[in-house]
């Protein structure tokens, strides 16, 4: 029976340099794919207490059942592993073409185990797996590594996942790059580095077939029609992203005084219009580029026209980076922002956590807690530019900052933890809990730390719901977490959740694979996965104490008429209590045995009990 | 009958490969950009190449002359490759100035045949980088 799922896992053992394939067993197939498959596998195969940077951690690179098909907005690939940054379970995403290539090579997912003794390049093609020395690639940046990898295997069209120096040096927020798209959050690049895995190249020649072409095509046409309609709307988020990239909305966020500025001290940046998507578009030759089979084309490929970086080009910076390496450092220089973004991509660093660390460093320097002879001031690019190199090389204070904002703040001392903008050591995404309280609740309850992927950001920033209110936020956040988790089994783009209803996603799934799933069951699956992640985290010692925001959130914003704080601890606690109750967890944030049993996860209660006792 | 021809505007191309996927879906019932008769070649940061047969503007049509088995002919405005005559030697691929002939997995030269007059790639393209011209 044709299906766009391969029903096949590839396991790669880096220690022995061997590989095996296995049919996906039914209990794993019930998690559909992508994030669901990855989370279930990691929980079952990586025992509690496994060091994220040890050979025992596993790196699961998973496509979804719709990846590689013409279903629009399903091009992303998911990596699941234990995060060396947060210590939690991690799921991290990159768009582009990697997932489609993995499917063409004949797999739904690749599980990487063990660790190599020397740097290694792994080449996966449709019929075999080969291991190549990457000794000569030591120290190369992500792009040079990708080129060297394609040369080493003599397949110029291979898709490559690579790490740069930051990953080799196990910077805890090191990213893995795939064809200029980034697995940014959580340090998957450091996990690769710890495994001595410099790069993975994938090339496949197996056509993808769908189960029922007529049914599938009808669903695709319906999705394309919805997307087209949305793109025609100049003021829809997707329409703006398609025309101007994700950086289009910075002005709107700034108007609402919700643009984090100078390490979240202020919510308004007077130079926002110099670094937003429209400014880049005006000054830099720009053309949109798509992920695989996606008609939205929100990626913006930009070239620097003049100056010291003339001729450099980059797919980016994206909106979140315009905040983290722009407004939050008080930088009004497009060129500096472009260079910081490019350095992060080349070294292989998450621009969000890197930005959180840099803004922490600048403020700590201003307060005298950090002395490294650097010119660290808000609005001055030289210090951050120097620091990025030091972090990737783990030189001097860079070695401290490479540990992540929370850990670094603890080492720096002097109360730095109160203004380290992080949750569970993971740097903030571009949003201000003080302005968007539901998003604040999402930050603290996210299973991977300060994350924007499962938060009511669109609704709160566009004003569809009141960002300042705490009422009903627990239910809103829970619903979006469960829904997005379900969609990430497919693996959808985060932006598809704005638009494509679960029913339509399931029609695509049925047409592509023949699998029939009700919407209720599908979103219930999202909740099951959410609980599995929480089980993993609770077993690693996480609970209510870690579901917290830095003290800065409870301070007033600078430059605003009101001197009162916009968010209080009591409000956060109110939302958290309500959230835990709705989840069926106890008030310490631990899933109850009864709730796990209801979700069909009774077997996982033992993992919690061992840890809590 | 002289059917329309497929024109390209690479400056509008966003490299999504939807044209290639529609092509193989129409010709072989599968999704496989690597075996399509219209292919996108990335040249970052420049605009990509969109390789597709454009015999109507092709001087001398060297593929026809190059074929040792005379498998290629132009019939009613469509490049036709006779599968029983083609031996997959690849001569035509080498001489095509548009890089628009390909050897398939079963050793056949293939090129755009305009899907019998309604090319599947045209409606698939989200940016009108491919369009029909009379």
């Amino acid at each position: 029976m044709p299906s766009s799922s391969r029903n096949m896992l590839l396991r790669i053992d880096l220690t022995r340099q061997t590989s095996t394939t296995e049919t996906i067993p039914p209990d794993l197939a019930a998690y559909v794919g992508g994030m669901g498959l990855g989370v279930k596998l990691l929980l079952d195969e990586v025992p509690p207490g496994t060091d994220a940077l040890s050979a025992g951690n596993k790196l699961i690179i998973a496509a979804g059942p719709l990846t590689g098909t013409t279903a629009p907005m399903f091009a992303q690939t998911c990596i699941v592993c234990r995060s060396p940054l947060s210590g939690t379970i991690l799921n991290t995403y990159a768009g582009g073409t990697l997932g489609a290539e993995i499917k063409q090579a004949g797999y739904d997912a690749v599980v990487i185990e063990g660790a190599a003794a020397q740097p290694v390049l792994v080449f996966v093609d449709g019929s075999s797996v080969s291991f190549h020395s990457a000794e000569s690639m030591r120290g190369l940046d992500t792009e040079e590594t990708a080129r060297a990898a394609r040369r080493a295997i003599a397949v110029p069209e291979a898709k490559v996942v690579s790490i740069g120096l930051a990953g080799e040096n196990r910077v805890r927020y090191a990213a893995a790059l795939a064809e200029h798209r980034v697995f940014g959050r959580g340090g998957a690049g450091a996990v690769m580095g710890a495994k001595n895995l410099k790069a993975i190249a994938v090339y496949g020649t197996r056509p993808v077939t769908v189960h029922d072409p007529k049914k599938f095509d009808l669903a695709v046409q319906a999705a394309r029609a919805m997307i087209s309609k949305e793109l025609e709307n100049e003021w829809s988020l997707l329409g703006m992203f398609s025309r101007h990239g994700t950086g289009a909305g910075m002005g709107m966020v700034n108007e609402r005084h919700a643009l984090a500025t100078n390490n979240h001290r202020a919510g308004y940046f007077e130079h926002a219009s110099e670094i937003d998507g429209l400014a880049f578009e005006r000054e830099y030759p720009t053309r949109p580029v798509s992920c695989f089979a996606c008609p939205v084309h929100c990626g913006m490929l930009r070239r620097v026209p003049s100056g010291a970086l003339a001729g450099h080009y980059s797919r980016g910076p994206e909106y979140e980076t315009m905040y983290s390496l722009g407004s939050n450092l008080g930088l009004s220089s497009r060129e500096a922002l472009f260079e910081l973004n490019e350095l992060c991509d080349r070294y292989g660093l998450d621009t969000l956590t890197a930005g959180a660390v840099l803004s922490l460093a600048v403020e700590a320097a201003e307060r005298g807690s950090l002395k490294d002879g650097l010119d660290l001031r808000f609005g001055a690019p030289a210090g951050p530019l120097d620091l990025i190199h030091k972090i990737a090389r783990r030189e001097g204070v860079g070695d401290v900052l490479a540990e992540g904002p929370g850990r670094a703040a603890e080492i720096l001392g002097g109360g730095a933890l109160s203004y380290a903008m992080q949750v569970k050591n993971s740097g903030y995404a571009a949003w201000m809990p003080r302005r968007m309280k539901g998003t604040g609740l999402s930050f603290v309850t996210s299973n991977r730390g300060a994350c924007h992927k499962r938060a009511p950001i669109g609704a709160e920033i566009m004003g569809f719901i009141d960002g300042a209110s705490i009422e009903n936020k627990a239910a809103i956040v829970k619903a979006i977490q469960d829904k997005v988790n379900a969609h990430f089994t497919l693996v959808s783009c985060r932006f598809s959740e704005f638009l494509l209803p679960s029913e339509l996603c399931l029609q695509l799934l049925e047409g592509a694979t023949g699998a029939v799933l009700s919407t209720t069951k599908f979103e219930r699956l999202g909740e099951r996965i959410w609980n599995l992640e929480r089980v993993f985290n609770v077993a690693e010692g996480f609970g209510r104490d870690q579901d917290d925001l830095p003290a800065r959130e409870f301070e007033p914003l600078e430059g605003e008429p009101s001197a009162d704080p916009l968010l209080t601890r009591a409000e956060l606690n109110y939302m958290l209590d309500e959230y835990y109750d709705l989840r069926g967890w106890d008030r310490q944030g631990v899933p109850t045995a009864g709730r796990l049993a209801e979700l069909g996860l009774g077997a996982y209660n033992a993992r919690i009990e061992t840890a809590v006792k | 009958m002289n059917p329309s021809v497929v024109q390209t505007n690479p400056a509008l191309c966003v490299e999504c490969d939807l044209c290639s996927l529609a092509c193989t879906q129409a010709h072989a019932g599968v999704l496989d950009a690597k075996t399509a008769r219209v292919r996108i070649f990335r040249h970052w940061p420049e605009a990509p190449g969109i390789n597709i047969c454009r015999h109507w503007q092709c001087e001398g049509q060297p593929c026809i002359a190059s074929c040792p088995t005379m498998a290629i002919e132009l019939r009613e405005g469509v490049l036709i490759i006779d599968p029983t005559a083609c031996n997959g030697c690849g001569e035509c691929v080498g001489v095509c100035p548009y890089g628009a002939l390909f050897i398939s997995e079963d050793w056949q030269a293939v090129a755009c045949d305009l899907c019998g007059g309604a090319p599947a790639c045209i409606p698939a393209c989200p940016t009108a980088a491919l369009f029909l011209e009379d």
Side-chain angles (χ1 to χ4, degrees):
Chain A
M1 203 80 103
S3 165
S4 64
S5 277
R6 297 302 191 187
N7 202 26
M8 193 65 75
L9 275 187
L10 172 66
R11 270 185 206 271
I12 295 171
D13 182 337
L14 291 174
T15 310
R16 295 187 188 81
Q17 308 222 333
T18 57
S19 70
T20 54
T21 57
E22 57 192 75
T23 306
I24 295 177
D27 66 324
L28 192 54
Y31 283 79
V32 180
M35 178 202 184
L37 178 143
V39 167
K40 164 87 172 144
L41 235 158
L42 198 81
L43 224 82
D44 289 348
E45 299 189 2
V46 173
T50 304
D51 182 344
L53 295 176
S54 72
N57 197 3
K58 295 191 182 187
L59 194 82
I60 301 155
I61 308 174
L66 297 175
T67 321
T69 74
T70 50
M73 304 186 82
F74 291 90
Q76 297 223 331
T77 310
C78 173
I79 288 183
V80 174
C81 59
R82 186 176 184 198
S83 163
L85 182 66
S86 59
T88 66
I89 192 167
L90 171 69
N91 56 105
T92 178
Y93 300 82
T97 51
L98 174 70
E101 203 67 40
I102 291 173
K103 294 290 281 286
Q104 283 221 279
Y107 309 105
D108 295 317
V110 181
V111 184
I112 296 165
E113 310 177 346
Q118 302 296 328
V120 68
L121 155 71
V122 176
F123 178 37
V124 174
D125 77 6
S127 50
S128 65
V129 175
S130 54
F131 297 83
H132 307 256
S133 168
E135 195 64 53
S136 62
M137 299 178 204
R138 251 189 229 270
L140 294 189
D141 73 29
T142 54
E143 182 57 23
E144 294 165 341
T145 303
R147 277 200 295 264
R150 290 187 206 102
R151 263 201 312 275
I153 57 173
V155 182
E157 285 185 307
K159 310 294 185 205
V160 179
V161 186
S162 60
I163 59 168
L165 193 60
E168 288 179 46
N169 286 340
R170 305 178 189 200
V171 175
R172 287 184 183 272
Y173 42 98
L177 269 87
E179 308 292 313
H180 298 264
R181 285 269 171 185
V182 188
F183 294 97
R185 309 297 341 248
V191 174
M192 282 179 67
K195 292 183 177 302
N196 262 321
L197 178 57
K198 183 69 175 155
I200 310 153
V202 185
Y203 186 72
T205 55
R206 297 179 193 201
V208 171
T209 47
V210 295
H211 178 77
D212 183 336
K214 267 208 180 108
K215 215 177 228 176
F216 180 69
D217 195 48
L218 274 176
V220 169
Q221 293 313 322
R224 284 286 298 267
M226 290 178 95
I227 292 168
S228 297
K229 199 166 159 244
E230 189 79 357
L231 295 187
E232 281 164 18
N233 176 0
E234 198 175 338
W235 298 108
S236 73
L237 276 182
L238 220 55
M240 290 198 296
F241 292 172
S242 176
R243 269 183 282 279
H244 310 293
T246 54
M250 183 174 259
M252 179 194 64
V253 178
N254 203 33
E255 269 169 34
R256 289 164 199 241
H257 288 217
L259 178 62
T261 302
N262 296 351
N263 199 30
H264 284 254
R265 291 203 295 226
Y268 183 82
F269 183 48
E270 56 179 331
H271 301 291
S273 64
E274 293 163 48
I275 57 161
D276 69 0
L278 302 173
F280 270 102
E281 191 176 293
R282 211 166 40 238
E283 306 292 335
Y284 288 37
T286 299
R287 70 181 180 89
V289 285
S290 282
C291 293
F292 185 84
C294 183
V296 179
H297 53 75
C298 68
M300 293 294 153
L301 183 59
R302 299 188 169 99
R303 214 173 345 162
V304 185
S306 56
L309 298 177
H312 285 227
Y313 65 91
S314 173
R315 197 203 50 75
E318 298 281 357
Y319 177 72
E320 298 276 333
T321 303
M322 292 172 179
Y323 136 79
S324 68
L325 299 174
S327 66
N328 208 34
L329 288 168
L331 290 184
S332 59
S333 158
R334 271 183 306 280
E335 191 165 88
L337 173 51
F338 186 95
E339 186 172 4
L340 284 167
N341 181 62
E342 188 181 32
L343 284 172
C344 283
D345 282 357
R346 291 295 186 123
Y347 278 129
L349 283 166
D350 173 25
T351 55
L352 279 180
T353 294
V357 162
L358 291 175
S359 53
L360 165 77
V362 172
E363 184 160 346
E366 281 190 352
R367 289 166 180 260
S369 302
L370 188 155
K371 297 186 185 74
D372 201 42
L374 293 166
D375 178 24
L376 289 168
R377 286 175 292 127
F378 286 109
L385 281 165
D386 280 344
L387 270 186
I388 285 286
H389 296 287
K390 290 192 169 200
I391 289 168
R393 294 174 190 148
R394 277 188 176 269
E395 254 172 40
V397 74
D399 192 37
V400 173
L401 298 175
E403 291 295 297
R407 281 176 178 240
E410 278 175 22
I411 298 167
L412 293 174
L417 207 49
S418 68
Y419 56 84
M421 303 315 285
Q422 50 84 37
V423 174
K424 302 178 177 74
N425 200 31
S426 175
Y428 263 38
W431 308 95
M432 303 188 77
R434 278 172 281 184
R435 290 288 191 203
M436 302 156 69
K437 293 179 185 173
T439 299
L441 181 65
S442 299
F443 276 16
V444 298
T445 57
S446 159
N447 287 313
R448 59 178 205 175
C451 145
H452 59 296
K453 286 227 169 191
R454 278 147 280 219
I457 288 167
E460 287 194 317
I461 199 67
M462 306 286 270
F464 301 146
I465 57 175
D466 180 7
S469 167
I470 54 169
E471 294 308 325
N472 207 33
K473 289 295 167 69
I476 290 169
V477 166
K478 175 182 180 290
I480 204 167
Q481 289 172 337
D482 293 348
K483 184 180 170 194
V484 174
N485 257 17
H487 286 219
F488 281 173
T489 65
L490 289 175
V491 176
S492 78
C493 168
R494 173 61 185 85
F495 301 148
S496 77
E497 184 269 326
F498 300 160
L499 190 64
L500 304 179
S502 295
E503 293 76 17
L504 184 54
C505 295
L506 292 170
Q507 284 163 19
L508 288 165
L509 178 67
E510 187 181 343
T513 68
V516 181
L517 208 59
S518 73
T519 309
T520 321
K521 252 186 139 172
F522 182 54
E523 291 184 4
R524 183 85 158 175
L525 173 65
E527 182 172 15
R528 290 177 77 189
I529 297 165
W530 192 267
N531 277 269
L532 273 184
E533 291 179 89
R534 187 70 178 184
V535 165
F536 185 99
N537 292 348
V538 167
E540 302 298 343
F542 289 90
R544 184 169 190 132
D545 288 349
Q546 289 75 32
D547 292 351
D548 199 10
L549 294 169
R552 168 139 303 162
E553 289 298 344
F554 310 110
E555 297 167 4
L557 273 178
E558 281 178 10
E560 300 294 324
S562 166
D564 293 329
L566 298 166
L567 173 70
T568 64
R569 276 208 181 274
E571 286 182 313
L572 181 60
N573 280 328
Y574 174 94
M575 290 192 292
L576 257 186
D577 283 344
E578 199 175 33
Y579 174 86
Y580 292 152
D581 292 353
L582 275 174
R583 283 249 170 249
W585 300 351
D586 69 21
R587 288 280 175 99
Q588 288 307 306
V590 178
T592 60
R595 188 64 181 152
L596 290 179
E598 275 168 33
L599 290 167
L601 301 173
Y604 292 95
N605 194 46
R607 185 161 179 145
I608 288 184
E609 283 190 334
T610 326
V612 173
K613 270 165 198 169
Chain B
M1 186 195 93
N2 209 14
S4 307
V5 296
V6 176
Q7 274 288 16
T8 67
N9 185 351
L12 292 179
C13 178
V14 293
E15 309 177 0
C16 64
D17 283 336
L18 278 166
C19 54
S20 304
L21 297 170
C23 176
T24 59
Q25 184 66 47
H27 284 94
V30 300
L31 301 168
D32 181 7
K34 295 189 180 84
T35 58
R37 297 153 191 239
V38 50
R39 296 188 196 178
I40 305 302
F41 291 89
R42 289 164 180 77
H43 305 298
W44 281 27
E46 306 304 328
I50 305 176
N51 292 23
I52 186 167
C53 176
R54 47 192 79 197
H55 58 74
W56 68 93
Q57 63 184 62
C58 180
E59 211 172 310
Q61 295 159 342
C63 59
I64 296 176
S66 78
C67 181
T69 64
M70 289 185 285
I72 309 176
E73 63 171 320
L74 202 56
R75 206 187 297 158
E76 293 176 346
V78 180
L79 196 77
I80 303 287
I81 302 168
D82 178 357
T84 58
C86 173
N87 64 10
C89 68
E91 286 290 334
C92 55
V93 174
V95 299
C96 176
Y98 295 104
L101 281 135
F102 307 99
I103 299 296
S104 69
E105 287 228 309
D106 47 3
W107 295 102
Q108 288 280 313
V110 292
C112 173
D113 60 5
L114 294 167
C115 292
C121 52
I122 301 293
C125 178
T127 61
L130 288 171
F131 56 98
L132 277 185
E133 207 173 71
D134 291 325

